[in-house]
């Protein structure tokens, strides 16, 4: 009899459990392990890392702008409370964060905003060392045009958009439209040689005006934000090292006559792989240079490497392994799959041409040769593999592994500002050498 009574109790308990709504015990299942904020000019990311499943709803409020997120079936804990302390005063989009227990089963997050935004909210499944992530991205409603921003930042006033426009209008009025726009290699003069302008022409005749255009290099510091990249034994983060090198590389290129550089990220935030490519194309970049610091399973591996795209498979097992690792950046950094135009991204990344790869190999050779002057080389030749970030169809593109951060000796050098400068100068000189032999074709006057 007792066993029958116990069985009935067990069955009854099971039936009772089935009657309780799903999520009623969510507060017991969801545990927040960390909260992070990643402010940047382009967008601010809020990440709530947790174990368990989250139910939520959200809405925007105007005058003033606020973003409200309700976490359902939830109890406020100390980790969530700590979110308010992570906000920086100079965050471009978020003015203030308020966190409170809204009712018995709801935690409310209120983001007071500095401007109108276009928010994106999504979740990321566990990967690498991360558990589940609840992500909120605050994008500006009206983002800045990247090409216009680059023109405005030009240190050469004669190359700014308004000055170029005036030069073109002057050229058309003086030559009846008979002017030419040329890409000129660094060692050539931008001045017009009057004596060579026209055979048998009078000395005072007005020659066609030759206008020099700037060469634009897109520099892509790998990883960033939620994606740290490789981490050395001494705790050095790849994302920080490559950003430092990239900033120095930009400064070197900006000093060169007729050249300018843009960074796909200028701070510690995540940029998806296809967005890096789109950024380069949005400023009509002539070259794309992705900067990384390698890691391998053996700490003895070392040296600098340069990679270009391959349409027929990797040139070595190591190249394939590295490409797979770099291509996993989107999964680790966190991409809003629903917010991505997957078809557009697929088309963009499937249009690479043989000509682009051939030009990339020339660029890679020039850069690798110069890197060999400041660091030993891992391989004496440029290697190829299926790197997603190198698939711009019309821009010669290379990926540089400056050294192995997994090698303790090279990690120490990578953390050195002096060695970072040496690497930046070597890469810049290699780029200049490539341009001298392969000046880009002319483009539209404003670029």
């Amino acid at each position: 009899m007792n066993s029958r009574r116990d069985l009935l109790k067990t069955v009854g308990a099971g039936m009772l459990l089935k009657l309780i709504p799903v999520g009623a015990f969510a507060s017991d299942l969801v545990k927040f392990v960390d909260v992070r904020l990643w402010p940047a000019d382009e967008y601010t990311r809020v990440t709530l890392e947790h174990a368990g499943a989250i139910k939520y709803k959200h809405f925007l409020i105007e005058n003033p702008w606020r973003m409200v997120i309700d976490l359902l079936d939830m109890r406020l804990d100390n980790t969530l409370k700590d979110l308010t302390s992570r906000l920086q005063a100079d965050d471009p989009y978020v003015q203030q964060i308020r966190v409170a227990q809204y009712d018995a089963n709801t935690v409310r997050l209120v983001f007071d905003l500095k401007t109108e935004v276009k928010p994106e909210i999504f979740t990321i499944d566990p990967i690498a060392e991360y558990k589940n992530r609840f992500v909120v991205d605050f994008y500006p409603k009206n983002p800045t045009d990247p090409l216009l921003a680059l023109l405005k930042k030009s240190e050469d006033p004669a190359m700014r958009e308004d000055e170029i426009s005036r030069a073109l209008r002057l050229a058309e009025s003086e030559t009846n439209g008979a002017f030419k726009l040329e890409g000129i290699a660094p060692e050539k003069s931008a001045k017009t040689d009057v004596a060579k302008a026209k055979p048998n022409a009078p000395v005072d005749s007005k020659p066609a005006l030759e206008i020099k255009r700037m060469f634009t290099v897109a520099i892509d510091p790998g990883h960033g934000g939620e994606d740290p990249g490789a981490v050395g034994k001494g705790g050095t983060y790849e994302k920080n090292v490559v950003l430092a090198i990239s900033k120095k590389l930009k400064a070197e290129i900006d000093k060169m006559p007729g050249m300018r550089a843009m960074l796909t990220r200028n701070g510690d935030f995540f940029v998806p792989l296809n967005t890096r490519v789109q950024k380069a194309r949005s400023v009509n970049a002539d070259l794309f240079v992705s900067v990384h610091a390698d890691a391998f399973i053996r700490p003895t591996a070392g040296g600098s490497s340069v990679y270009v795209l391959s349409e027929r498979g990797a040139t070595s097992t190591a190249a394939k392994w590295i490409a797979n690792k770099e291509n996993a950046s989107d999964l680790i950094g966190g991409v809003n799959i629903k917010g991505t135009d997957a078809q557009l991204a697929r088309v963009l990344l499937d249009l690479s041409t043989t000509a682009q790869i051939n030009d990339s190999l020339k660029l890679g050779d020039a850069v690798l040769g110069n890197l060999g002057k400041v660091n030993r080389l891992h391989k004496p030749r440029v290697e190829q593999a299926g790197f997603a970030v190198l698939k711009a169809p019309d821009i010669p593109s290379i990926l540089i592994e400056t050294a192995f951060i997994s090698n303790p000796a090279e990690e120490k050098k990578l953390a050195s500002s002096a060695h970072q400068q040496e690497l930046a100068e070597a890469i810049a000189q290699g780029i200049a050498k490539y341009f001298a032999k392969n000046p880009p074709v002319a483009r539209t006057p404003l670029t």
Side-chain angles (χ1 to χ4, degrees):
M1 288 293 293
N2 289 340
S3 60
R4 181 178 295 181
R5 230 182 353 257
D6 291 340
L7 177 61
L8 288 172
K9 286 182 180 179
T10 303
V11 172
M15 292 176 66
L16 180 62
L17 282 172
K18 289 181 181 179
L19 293 175
I20 294 176
V22 175
F25 296 120
S27 58
D28 296 327
L29 297 175
V30 176
K31 177 178 175 58
F32 289 96
V33 296
D34 198 5
V35 291
R36 297 181 290 275
L37 262 74
W38 306 99
D41 290 340
E42 296 178 28
Y43 75 108
T44 290
R45 169 165 289 190
V46 179
T47 303
L48 310 180
E49 187 177 355
H50 60 93
I54 281 183
K55 293 166 60 181
Y56 67 92
K57 60 182 180 181
H58 62 91
F59 52 94
L60 272 173
I61 304 175
E62 300 181 28
N63 299 321
W65 286 101
R66 285 156 288 162
M67 178 75 179
V68 179
I69 300 175
D70 286 339
L71 303 177
L72 309 177
D73 300 324
M74 197 74 62
R75 297 290 185 276
L76 183 60
D77 63 14
N78 289 331
T79 303
L80 272 181
K81 286 181 182 178
D82 196 38
L83 181 61
T84 58
S85 68
R86 304 297 176 93
L87 180 65
Q88 300 178 23
D90 60 351
D91 190 297
Y93 303 106
V94 182
Q95 179 72 44
Q96 180 181 237
I97 302 175
R98 291 173 282 154
V99 182
Q101 188 75 44
Y102 180 68
D103 60 31
N105 297 303
T106 306
V107 172
R108 172 162 287 186
L109 312 179
V110 179
F111 297 88
D112 297 313
L113 304 170
K114 295 180 178 179
T115 185
E116 186 176 2
V117 299
K118 182 182 177 182
E120 292 186 7
I121 299 180
F122 58 100
T123 58
I124 308 172
D125 293 334
I127 187 172
E129 72 273 19
Y130 292 117
K131 298 185 184 300
N132 292 286
R133 282 174 287 172
F134 178 85
V135 178
V136 185
D137 287 343
F138 293 105
Y139 288 95
K141 182 71 173 180
N142 300 302
T144 303
D145 178 82
L147 182 55
L148 186 59
L150 185 61
L151 286 167
K152 286 180 178 178
K153 288 180 181 178
S154 174
E155 294 181 3
D156 182 357
M159 283 297 136
R160 289 179 181 164
E161 182 181 23
D162 54 346
E163 295 295 331
I164 296 175
S165 297
R166 281 199 291 272
L168 291 173
R169 288 196 297 271
L170 176 64
E172 289 180 312
S173 64
E174 291 188 349
T175 64
N176 295 320
F179 68 95
K180 56 182 178 178
L181 180 69
E182 293 186 354
I184 302 172
E187 72 270 15
K188 294 183 180 179
S189 172
K191 297 179 180 179
T192 301
D193 188 337
V194 175
K196 295 180 180 178
K198 281 185 181 180
N200 305 318
V203 175
D204 62 347
S205 67
K206 293 176 180 175
L209 182 64
E210 203 170 272
I211 300 174
K212 178 181 179 181
R213 79 167 179 89
M214 300 287 278
F215 295 158
T216 303
V217 180
I219 303 171
D220 176 49
H223 309 284
E226 291 286 293
D227 175 20
V231 182
K233 293 286 186 182
T236 306
Y237 280 29
E238 179 183 3
K239 66 174 182 178
N240 297 333
V241 165
V242 299
L243 180 60
I245 295 171
S246 296
K247 287 182 174 179
K248 289 178 170 60
L249 174 57
K250 181 183 187 304
E252 289 302 310
I253 290 174
D254 286 344
K255 288 190 298 187
M256 293 179 172
M259 293 174 62
R260 66 186 173 195
M262 62 83 71
L263 295 168
T264 60
R265 69 174 180 96
N266 57 6
D268 187 11
F269 60 96
F270 174 70
V271 183
L273 296 175
N274 72 297
T275 302
R276 296 169 187 263
V277 178
Q278 290 169 353
K279 283 187 171 189
R281 301 187 82 226
S282 70
V283 297
N284 290 337
D286 297 292
L287 299 180
F288 181 89
V289 179
S290 193
V291 183
H292 294 255
D294 214 343
F296 201 61
I297 51 178
R298 288 183 290 102
T300 54
S304 300
S305 305
V306 176
Y307 297 87
V308 304
L309 184 66
S310 171
E311 292 182 310
R312 299 182 178 180
T315 51
S316 71
T317 302
K320 182 177 181 180
W321 186 85
I322 291 169
N324 289 339
K325 178 174 65 71
E326 302 297 0
N327 290 346
S329 179
D330 276 359
L331 299 176
I332 297 170
V335 175
N336 182 7
I337 302 299
K338 293 181 180 178
T340 302
D341 188 334
Q343 184 176 4
L344 175 61
R346 194 178 305 115
V347 170
L348 173 65
L349 298 180
D350 285 342
L351 288 177
S352 298
T353 65
T354 301
Q356 184 259 29
I357 293 175
N358 288 339
D359 285 340
S360 299
L361 285 167
K362 293 176 185 176
L363 172 62
D365 283 335
V367 170
L368 187 66
N370 270 62
L371 281 172
K373 299 175 183 178
V374 298
N375 197 37
R376 71 187 181 97
L377 299 180
H378 183 63
K379 290 285 181 69
R381 66 184 183 280
V382 176
E383 291 204 83
Q384 294 180 255
F387 293 89
V389 79
L390 300 183
K391 292 186 177 182
D394 51 356
I395 309 174
S397 305
I398 61 173
L399 186 144
I400 302 169
E401 296 284 6
T402 51
F404 278 77
I405 203 168
S406 53
N407 181 313
E410 293 199 346
E411 178 189 6
K412 186 176 180 179
K413 291 177 68 177
L414 284 170
S416 161
S417 180
H419 186 62
Q420 291 170 2
Q421 182 63 33
E422 288 180 340
L423 291 167
E425 290 176 2
I427 296 168
Q429 289 162 9
I431 290 170
K433 186 183 297 183
Y434 168 82
F435 273 140
K437 294 182 179 180
N438 308 274
V441 297
R443 281 183 175 168
T444 57
L446 294 185
T447 60

